[in-house]
Amino acid sequence: MTRFLLARASRMALTVLAVVLITFGLTRIAYRNPARMLAPENASEETIAAIANSLRLNDPWYLQLWYYIVRGPEIKGTPTGLFNWPPSLGYSYRQQRPVTELILEKIPVTFSLATGALLLWVTISIVLGVYAARRPGSVFDHVTSGVSYVLLSVPTFVTGVVLLFVLYYQLSLAGVKFFPSGGYVAFTESPAEWARHLLLPWTTLLLVEVGLFQRVVRASVLEVADRDYIRTARAKGLGPRGVYFNHALSAALNPILTLGAIEFAAILGGAIITEQIFGLDGVGRLAVSAANDGDAPVVIGCTLLGAVIFVVSTFVIDVITHARSGK
């Protein structure tokens, strides 16, 4: 087990380092003159040069990379560099604030969106997938399969816009004003309003993900449905619900957990489209705004956050599945 953990931890570290290097290189290609992007519209060349000098944008690329990874100059009393404690993700060119601080402000919105949607789509997918696996080829199986294929074919932005049009706009015209058009209310401020404002975004992600997860659950349960211990459970008189939910589903959990961790990490890293449609001021929206403004440190920080969430999620799932396998 120790060797397994060390191997996975080493892979995590190399993955995060590779993401930093690649993202740093891509931002240098995309923003060849960030000082001009940050300067006022009619700024003089002297102003642009002063901005570049103050942000050390004229230094060689390897020195800028060294500043970012190891230790850079202090900006307004804030040390920069990933190897500081606590680690620093740099300093925003545009907002003149630490990137870590900006992300920490946005992460509760994205975390609420990702966690609620995950719980909903996993629960519904397990129920639909197990019942479809109990009667393969039945009307229920064909209907859920058809709906899954349709949901998998519809882009996220189409689902979100349709939900807004039907459940917000049309209902509002009819005098039913339950669903808000967007925005976010903190859970600590009002749990009911928190859930009400996130209901449409959750439903959007649910409809996007449930088609895939339902098919994975169905296939995983069918794969183990004819194994000896399942037949033994049936022979002992265990009912269909106990056989499929307690035995077959438990044995088929590994691919479900793996896929769930990947999807959760992807959303937590920034559900860009959903946040944009519903006006949620989360990490995805922060990343889009930073990319448009040429704010390279924020772009790198948001990308690195997504990478860290992804590798940590997969590491946890690898440990769980390894422990379940008994190796």
Side-chain angles (χ1 to χ4, degrees):
M1 187 65 173
T2 302
R3 179 181 296 180
F4 173 83
L5 293 175
L6 289 175
R8 289 296 185 274
S10 300
R11 189 171 67 180
M12 284 173 55
L14 290 175
T15 301
V16 172
L17 178 60
V19 168
V20 171
L21 296 176
I22 293 171
T23 310
F24 180 84
L26 290 176
T27 54
R28 284 186 59 84
I29 295 173
Y31 311 125
R32 291 187 176 275
N33 193 351
R36 183 174 294 278
M37 297 180 68
L38 297 169
E41 186 175 347
N42 297 318
S44 64
E45 291 299 323
E46 290 78 8
T47 301
I48 295 172
I51 293 173
N53 288 329
S54 66
L55 297 175
R56 297 203 172 188
L57 297 176
N58 292 328
D59 289 349
W61 67 267
Y62 50 85
L63 282 181
Q64 294 184 43
L65 181 61
W66 176 265
Y67 296 152
Y68 189 83
I69 295 179
V70 182
R71 185 176 178 84
E74 289 192 2
I75 301 178
K76 294 185 178 181
T78 302
T80 57
L82 287 177
F83 286 178
N84 286 306
W85 188 257
S88 170
L89 296 176
Y91 207 83
S92 169
Y93 296 157
R94 180 70 65 178
Q95 301 192 44
Q96 291 294 293
R97 294 173 61 194
V99 175
T100 307
E101 184 179 297
L102 292 173
I103 291 177
L104 288 177
E105 286 182 358
K106 311 297 183 183
I107 198 67
V109 180
T110 305
F111 183 79
S112 297
L113 174 64
T115 305
L118 176 73
L119 292 175
L120 287 172
W121 89 58
V122 167
T123 302
I124 294 174
S125 298
I126 287 175
V127 173
L128 295 179
V130 170
Y131 275 103
R134 283 179 57 182
R135 297 182 179 87
S138 64
V139 174
F140 181 82
D141 186 25
H142 286 302
V143 170
T144 53
S145 296
V147 172
S148 296
Y149 291 134
V150 171
L151 294 177
L152 285 169
S153 304
V154 180
T156 305
F157 72 90
V158 174
T159 304
V161 170
V162 169
L163 287 176
L164 268 179
F165 177 75
V166 175
L167 296 180
Y168 167 70
Y169 181 71
Q170 293 293 340
L171 286 182
S172 296
L173 290 179
V176 180
K177 297 184 178 181
F178 175 77
F179 294 100
S181 61
Y184 175 78
V185 175
F187 181 84
T188 53
E189 183 177 333
S190 172
E193 286 299 304
W194 170 81
R196 191 170 75 90
H197 279 74
L198 286 171
L199 194 54
L200 285 182
W202 283 342
T203 305
T204 300
L205 293 176
L206 161 68
L207 293 177
V208 171
E209 299 290 348
V210 75
L212 173 62
F213 268 78
Q214 187 268 338
R215 302 302 298 166
V216 170
V217 172
R218 177 186 179 277
S220 300
V221 172
L222 279 177
E223 186 178 349
V224 301
D226 291 329
R227 293 187 179 176
D228 292 340
Y229 63 92
I230 300 296
R231 288 197 292 267
T232 301
R234 288 198 188 99
K236 289 181 177 180
L238 190 64
R241 182 175 299 180
V243 169
Y244 281 91
F245 280 98
N246 294 339
H247 293 275
L249 180 61
S250 177
L253 271 181
N254 284 1
I256 300 169
L257 289 173
T258 302
L259 182 60
I262 293 173
E263 292 298 316
F264 178 73
I267 296 174
L268 198 55
I272 295 173
I273 296 175
T274 307
E275 290 181 3
Q276 292 283 76
I277 291 173
F278 294 100
L280 298 173
D281 196 13
V283 175
R285 203 171 185 184
L286 174 66
V288 171
S289 175
N292 291 332
D293 292 340
D295 202 344
V298 179
V299 174
I300 297 174
C302 291
T303 306
L304 183 58
L305 171 71
V308 170
I309 292 171
F310 178 80
V311 297
V312 171
S313 299
T314 53
F315 174 79
V316 171
I317 295 302
D318 284 347
V319 172
I320 292 173
T321 54
H322 185 78
R324 282 170 54 84
S325 67
K327 294 181 180 179

